[in-house]
Amino acid sequence: MKFGGAALRDGPAIERSMRLAADSARGGRVLLVVSAAEGVTAQLARAVEEAVAGRLEPWDALRVRHRSLLAQLGLESDLLDRHLFELRAILGELKAAARAERRMSDYVLSFGERMSARVAAAVLRRLGSEAAPLDAYDLGLTTASRQGEQALLRPPEPALRARLATVPGIPVVTGFLALDAAGHLTTLGPNGSDLTAVWFGEAVGAVEVVLWKTVAGFLTADPDVVPEAHLVPLVGRAEAVELAVQGADVLHAGALEPAARGAIAVRVADVRHPERPGSLVVAETPRAGPLGIAQRAGLARYEEALSLGRDHGAQVAERLAELVAAGLEPTRAAFDGRTLLALVPEGPRAEAFAQVRGARVRLAGGLGTFAVVGRDAGRDEELARRVLALTAHAGIAAEPALGGTSPSSQTFVVPAEALDVAVRAVHAGLFVPEEREIVPQERGPREVERVRVPTSAEPQ
């Protein structure tokens, strides 16, 4: 079971999550993976920036937040003192050095998960369940390679299962953290705790990995953009990965590789409503056709004319590596024989990179992409025609994204300001409205009303 930052945001949320874990442990062996409490990783990242600039005030805010968390949970106020004062010492070193290498930044970020594991284990013990906090990197979680913020992990050693079996009670393991190939502590990027959880699921031969979040599961679209989006109860691994890659912030794109190796069921469920099934990730989506829409805003089109006197393949590989190193990992890329084309995150980094490359580069921002994802969606020419007709009817000039299609999706580019309208128009045209259970906040958890949610094309 993995609990994300939103599921651990404050004392009541941690209490609720740990009660759920303790109840599950009564029916079988449970291993927990925990993220830092919501917002703590961002606070730690800011603490690094401020320390380099000569200021240590963010440490005080982190100390106060964690002391308040302990008070909410009725735990000893000094439980995290060793970690908090070690953190302050490291920030003091960064202040003196006035710079921070990635290795040191990652070490600072690690304190969020390390403290979270100690808190979660202490709450479990208070609830009557034996529990032990463990650091994933001490258990052999090691990256095999990294591309930008995406990391691949080495398969777990067979001996780890026997080692974890000797841990008394519930092992509570840090998410997000691993060792790199050189043996240094590193981080696994956004949703990295998902990757940790499924890796440990493989290591122990788990029946199921449950990723407890504060979302219902995979939906047909972002509900903030499309209120009538509905739950997708079964998602094939290929489509789950594609949704993640295309911008649906539900799970880590690499988390399903160990699930495939270990033939493990992965469920995304809402910690606020544990009685609901969520979405189950299975080997293959049961039916072909559109499954959901994922979107990404804030993109720029990068075009670079390549030198005629050098091998073009080598130039493309070199430039893509440089973009990734600069924090501009392309979401799409193509090469037309003379020009490298890519979609990269827009902003000052992209502008600075283009300026260094000189007159050979053109950069045009203000773009967004949406992808229609489904089994065999990339091979469906009629689907592409329908999507373009739906966006044209909405007055939006969409075009297929560069780089072609994947077997599981078709991606389209639109002006960023028209992205939400395009997604709503395509969703209304492709997905039939469903009856959904809605639990009004003012009612009790068992008082459910069933409503039919109309599409945006129907009268309200």
Side-chain angles (χ1 to χ4, degrees), residues 36 40-48 87 102-114 149 175-177 185-187:
V40 166
T41 301
Q43 283 185 280
L44 288 164
R46 190 169 71 85
V48 171
L87 171 61
R102 172 159 187 165
R103 190 192 312 175
M104 188 63 79
S105 296
D106 280 354
Y107 192 71
V108 171
L109 295 182
S110 77
F111 281 88
E113 273 69 20
R114 290 159 63 195
E149 288 299 323
F176 183 60
L177 309 175
L185 189 149
T186 189
T187 56

Side-chain angles (χ1 to χ4, degrees), residues 4 26 46 57 95 129 138 147-149 182 220 235 265 273 313 345 347 366 370 392 397 428 442:
R26 294 187 185 99
R46 190 169 71 85
E57 289 83 358
K95 178 182 176 182
S129 296
D138 285 339
Q147 183 177 19
E149 288 299 323
T220 50
V235 184
H273 301 289
F370 69 89
E442 67 272 12

Side-chain angles (χ1 to χ4, degrees), residues 131-324:
L134 302 167
D135 294 320
Y137 47 85
D138 285 339
L139 296 170
L141 187 66
T142 306
T143 59
S145 64
R146 174 181 291 280
Q147 183 177 19
E149 288 299 323
Q150 298 297 328
L152 293 177
L153 300 179
R154 293 179 183 171
E157 295 291 333
L160 179 58
R161 183 173 185 174
R163 182 181 174 189
L164 284 167
T166 67
V167 175
I170 301 173
V172 184
V173 181
T174 56
F176 183 60
L177 309 175
L179 296 179
D180 64 17
H184 301 130
L185 189 149
T186 189
T187 56
L188 299 177
N191 284 325
S193 295
D194 294 347
L195 184 55
T196 309
V198 184
W199 188 90
F200 275 100
E202 180 187 7
V204 301
V207 174
E208 182 180 62
V209 174
V210 185
L211 306 177
W212 291 107
K213 300 173 181 268
T214 52
V215 296
F218 285 97
L219 302 180
T220 50
D222 182 345
D224 291 334
V225 176
V226 184
E228 61 269 24
H230 54 263
L231 181 72
V232 183
L234 292 175
V235 184
R237 291 193 194 108
E239 287 69 50
V241 169
E242 196 67 26
L243 285 164
V245 167
Q246 296 288 355
D249 189 21
V250 178
L251 55 68
H252 190 287
L256 296 177
E257 181 175 336
R261 285 198 305 257
I264 300 167
V266 176
R267 187 181 300 277
V268 179
D270 190 341
V271 70
R272 301 165 301 182
H273 301 289
E275 75 284 358
R276 298 182 182 179
S279 296
L280 183 65
V281 182
V282 294
E284 185 178 73
T285 299
R287 61 175 180 80
L291 190 71
I293 303 173
Q295 65 186 86
R296 191 186 300 277
L299 299 176
R301 182 183 176 94
Y302 177 94
E303 299 184 26
E304 180 171 354
L306 302 183
S307 302
L308 295 177
R310 291 184 55 203
D311 175 73
H312 283 165
Q315 288 186 72
V316 168
E318 178 183 287
R319 198 67 65 245
L320 291 176
E322 289 176 353
L323 285 166
V324 170

